[in-house]
Amino acid sequence: PGPAREAALARLELVADSFLSVSTPVQVAAPTLLARLPELQARAAGYTVKVGKFPFRALGRALTLNATDGFVKVIADAEHELILGVRMVGPNVSDLISEAVLAIEMGAQLEDLAASIHPHPTLSEALAEAAEVALERAIHLYQPRSKSK
């Protein structure tokens, strides 16, 4: 909390006004949903971004459903870790998008998603796992150490 975070939220509102909050599910091999800013548009708007992508193939519930095609991708402002957008592809993502929209609308940061309890095994764990990837502390997915560490 503070002036820097408020400025980041105000900037997000200005940029995001030209985007729909949630896109309509696209009927392709796997449903696709997008909340707020996609990665390329966030970069084009001047953000330096942190991106965390968690594949369904590493998710216990997706394995039990034999539905491992898909992922959750979280896009955040690198400086404030404010969530700018979420992309979801895969089974039942229409059941998962509400949490992403809430996180964006309330001005959540990556830590807010990562620290929220997600029951196991569920598909909703993918959102927290993607935030963990962006924070470079994923434990359920191999992640090479950043050169800055």
Side-chain angles (χ1 to χ4, degrees), residues 59 61 95-96 99 117-119 121-129:
L59 194 60
R61 184 61 180 145
D95 296 337
L96 307 177
E99 181 181 2
I117 295 172
H118 291 80
T122 61
L123 295 175
S124 68
E125 288 177 280
L127 198 53
E129 295 282 358

Side-chain angles (χ1 to χ4, degrees), residues 12-38:
L12 173 61
E13 284 303 314
L14 286 173
V15 172
D17 281 344
S18 62
F19 294 93
L20 295 172
S21 285
V22 179
S23 65
T24 318
V26 178
Q27 293 305 319
V28 292
T32 302
L33 290 174
L34 172 68
R36 204 51 77 120
L37 281 178

Side-chain angles (χ1 to χ4, degrees), residues 56-101:
F56 277 20
R57 71 178 179 278
L59 194 60
R61 184 61 180 145
L63 291 168
T64 66
L65 294 171
N66 197 27
T68 56
D69 291 336
F71 63 87
V72 171
K73 182 189 227 183
V74 175
I75 300 102
D77 172 56
E79 184 179 355
H80 305 290
E81 297 184 344
L82 185 71
I83 298 166
L84 302 173
V86 176
R87 172 161 284 196
M88 298 179 169
V89 176
N92 301 83
V93 292
S94 59
D95 296 337
L96 307 177
I97 197 70
S98 298
E99 181 181 2
V101 171

